[in-house]
Amino acid sequence: MEVVGKTNIDFLGMRRVAFTISTLMVLVGVFATVQIVRGRANLGIDFAGGTSVQVRFERPVELAKVRRAIAASGFPESELQQFVGGRRLFIRVKSSGKPVAGTAAAIEEQLREAFSANPFIVESSNEVGPVIGRELQQAALWAILVSLLGIVSYIAWRFEFRFGIVATVATFHDVLVVLGVFFLLGKEITLLIVTALLTLAGYSLTDTVVVFDRIRENFRARRRDSLAEMINASINQVLSRTIMTSLTTLLAIFALFLLGGEVLRDFSLTLLLGIVVGTYSSVFVASPLVYEWRMRGRRQAVGVKKQAQSLH
């Protein structure tokens, strides 16, 4: 099915603008990564350590009254989220370097005392110490690095080494851009967000491989065309497929974003941003980088040949 018909768009002609935009966005992502490693970003309790408690009351409660009760138990910096008609509460207390053991019990006890006429049940409770948080942070970074190394190996085996490097650069680009946007929005970086980033890396890679596969076919089928014509033709030939895949995936993720509840809201937002950025990078970043690399190789080969002729 073709959603845009046959196109003849000069994507490579727009590569300078795309490279400039991508460089700016990647720089923001690099800054966000540095801040995460330094512990200066908005890290969730998975990485920073702390306590989370989810409770469900029989009747709706006033958020201000809950806040006062938790502050009275010695945790004035707690973060509260209220949903499902005001009956369900998600309470987070980030670690301040002190032991977190017993925090959940103290919060529950204070809530039972403050809302004795409105019983509640504890749906989930989680306590993560600062040491475990740092270990999870390092494990998440290793997971991303190892997955990207696997991408290079796979693409280099399937195509050629420079395609593998470019695909990895494009995937890094997507992860960093989404991470940068999340950092600018002040969103919390949690294990769920890391999971979403790894998922979008896989999606972005699949999209890039489809374009690379068509470029490889056209290298053999359109030998008389220039390199720019071959790559432009390849992107245009798979453009309908790229748009259709992205739109259908976006519809599914958008439904998750609207109906998945608060817990999955940031996860689905990460995937929404990732699909848009991944589609953009497969068209405007990955293939133009292959073009630039090959043209640079050709120019160097011509330069060496001229230098050899001048010596004779």
Side-chain angles (χ1 to χ4, degrees), residues 148-198:
L148 292 176
L149 182 64
I151 289 170
V152 176
S153 305
Y154 169 69
I155 301 293
W157 166 74
R158 181 166 174 178
F159 296 96
E160 57 183 80
F161 181 68
R162 76 179 75 190
F163 278 86
I165 294 295
V166 168
T168 307
V169 170
T171 306
F172 256 117
H173 164 279
D174 299 346
V175 171
L176 287 172
V177 169
V178 174
L179 199 58
V181 172
F182 253 64
F183 179 75
L184 292 178
L185 292 175
K187 295 287 185 181
E188 196 171 64
I189 309 297
T190 63
L191 275 179
L192 207 55
I193 300 304
V194 174
T195 306
L197 290 175
L198 291 174

Side-chain angles (χ1 to χ4, degrees), residues 235-290:
I235 300 172
N236 279 288
Q237 286 167 5
V238 299
L239 189 61
S240 283
R241 180 265 174 204
T242 301
I243 294 174
M244 180 60 74
T245 304
S246 299
L247 284 178
T248 50
T249 313
L250 277 174
L251 286 174
I253 302 299
F254 194 63
L256 189 65
F257 178 76
L258 289 179
L259 307 173
E262 288 294 328
V263 176
L264 294 178
R265 187 62 52 80
D266 285 350
F267 175 79
S268 50
L269 177 62
T270 308
L271 292 180
L272 283 174
L273 290 170
I275 290 167
V276 174
V277 176
T279 305
Y280 157 80
S281 73
S282 66
V283 173
F284 291 100
V285 178
S287 303
L289 280 177
V290 170

